[in-house]
């Protein structure tokens, strides 16, 4: 079945540690996105990528980094510079940029040890 | 600036009741898109509908209907004869075409609980 796979489902980070969240899609979509969701808040855009080897900062990119070396993959690294990383992270993709519906994975919950 | 307001934080209804989720938006774009997504307890967001700013026709899909009114900048979502499976958090979102960046601006969501 086509879709977006995020792993792991739960992740724990120690102080000063970088962690990487995986996002893979087999929908043949050009555009991919990372969102952060905090309790009682809407989703906020961290990074997005319109095409392979290209990505742009979203509204809350500080403390995060991404890469887009393959069309199917858009991993997110939460660096030690992100002081409040505890949140639910959602990856999404759309067929292309231009207000198309976005399809979401089922998220990774990141917590601090 | 673009903004989406979902003033209802949580709504509880009993099965078979009708329920309306409110969404009010702000944008300076003349062309924009509005979306509704459903987030069940499993976590992923499920796309429900996309409506562009030039199409004010109401839409019905089964028990779901949407009322788009540009005059009041609202895009409300009604579930008729609600069911327990409708329990979820529902998000309204807005995107503009000015920069073609596909950035979605989300509201804070409305948690709907449908009790049997």
């Amino acid at each position: 079945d086509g879709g977006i796979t995020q792993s792991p489902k739960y992740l724990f980070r120690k102080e000063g540690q970088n962690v990487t969240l995986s996002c893979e899609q087999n929908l043949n979509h050009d555009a991919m996105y990372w969102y952060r969701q905090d309790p009682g808040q809407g989703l906020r855009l961290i990074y997005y990528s319109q095409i392979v080897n290209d990505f742009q900062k979203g509204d809350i990119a500080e403390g995060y980094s991404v890469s887009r070396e393959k069309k199917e993959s858009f991993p997110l690294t939460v660096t030690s510079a992100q002081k409040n990383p505890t949140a639910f992270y959602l990856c999404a993709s759309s067929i292309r940029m231009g207000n198309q519906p976005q399809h979401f994975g089922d998220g990774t919950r990141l917590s601090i040890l | 600036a673009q903004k989406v307001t979902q003033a209802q934080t949580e709504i509880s209804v009993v099965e078979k009741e009708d329920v309306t989720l409110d969404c009010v938006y702000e944008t300076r774009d003349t062309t924009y898109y509005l979306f509704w997504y459903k987030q069940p307890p499993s976590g992923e967001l499920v796309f429900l509908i996309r409506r562009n700013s030039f199409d004010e026709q109401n839409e019905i899909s089964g028990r779901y209907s949407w009322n788009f009114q540009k005059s009041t900048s609202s895009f409300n979502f009604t579930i008729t004869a609600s069911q327990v499976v409708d329990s979820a958090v529902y998000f309204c979102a807005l995107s503009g075409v000015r920069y073609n960046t596909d950035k979605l601006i989300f509201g804070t969501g409305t948690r709907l609980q449908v009790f049997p």
Side-chain angles (χ1 to χ4, degrees):
Chain A
D1 287 347
I4 299 178
T5 301
Q6 290 187 241
S7 63
K9 195 169 182 67
Y10 299 95
L11 187 58
F12 298 92
R13 196 191 87 169
K14 296 179 181 178
E15 291 289 337
Q17 185 181 47
N18 294 351
V19 292
T20 298
L21 284 60
S22 170
C23 177
E24 303 278 333
Q25 55 101 357
N26 60 5
L27 299 167
N28 200 32
H29 286 173
D30 282 330
M32 297 187 74
Y33 315 80
W34 273 105
Y35 292 92
R36 170 179 171 139
Q37 184 178 17
D38 293 282
Q41 296 191 33
L43 280 68
R44 292 181 291 169
L45 183 64
I46 305 172
Y47 268 97
Y48 63 98
S49 168
Q50 298 189 52
I51 200 166
V52 176
N53 293 322
D54 174 76
F55 51 84
Q56 304 294 329
K57 292 182 179 180
D59 299 318
I60 55 166
E62 187 175 348
Y64 300 97
S65 65
V66 294
S67 64
R68 186 86 187 275
E69 298 176 0
K70 297 187 299 182
K71 187 175 186 177
E72 312 82 55
S73 179
F74 191 41
L76 173 74
T77 296
V78 184
T79 73
S80 57
Q82 173 48 248
K83 298 307 179 187
N84 183 25
T86 298
F88 188 55
Y89 292 86
L90 284 157
C91 178
S93 71
S94 61
I95 191 166
R96 61 181 180 275
M97 297 297 288
N99 303 291
Q100 300 299 314
Q102 294 181 19
H103 300 261
F104 285 79
D106 54 9
T108 293
R109 190 166 300 279
L110 176 61
S111 302
I112 295 296
L113 281 179
Chain B
Q2 293 185 318
K3 184 180 178 182
V4 175
T5 300
Q6 294 181 257
Q8 303 152 309
T9 304
E10 187 163 340
I11 301 176
S12 296
V13 298
V14 177
E15 237 182 348
K16 297 184 183 177
E17 284 186 33
D18 298 347
V19 58
T20 295
L21 310 181
D22 298 332
C23 173
V24 174
Y25 63 92
E26 296 175 29
T27 181
R28 293 181 180 176
D29 290 336
T30 54
T31 302
Y32 52 89
Y33 289 80
L34 294 161
F35 300 78
W36 275 96
Y37 285 86
K38 174 182 180 180
Q39 186 178 38
S42 52
E44 82 281 13
L45 268 71
V46 177
F47 166 74
L48 296 178
I49 189 171
R50 179 186 69 165
R51 178 52 53 89
N52 74 54
S53 52
F54 297 108
D55 183 2
E56 288 193 69
Q57 283 192 350
N58 291 333
E59 181 151 344
I60 298 174
S61 176
R63 295 183 297 108
Y64 295 170
S65 62
W66 291 269
N67 182 3
F68 177 31
Q69 291 194 342
K70 288 180 76 171
S71 60
T72 56
S73 297
S74 65
F75 187 44
N76 296 338
F77 173 32
T78 297
I79 302 175
T80 303
S82 59
Q83 300 176 2
V84 173
V85 293
D86 296 326
S87 297
V89 180
Y90 290 87
F91 289 97
C92 181
L94 165 72
S95 69
V97 299
R98 183 181 303 179
Y99 304 109
N100 197 33
T101 61
D102 226 10
K103 290 174 64 173
L104 276 175
I105 306 298
F106 283 86
T108 52
T110 297
R111 180 177 299 278
L112 174 64
Q113 292 196 11
V114 182
F115 293 98

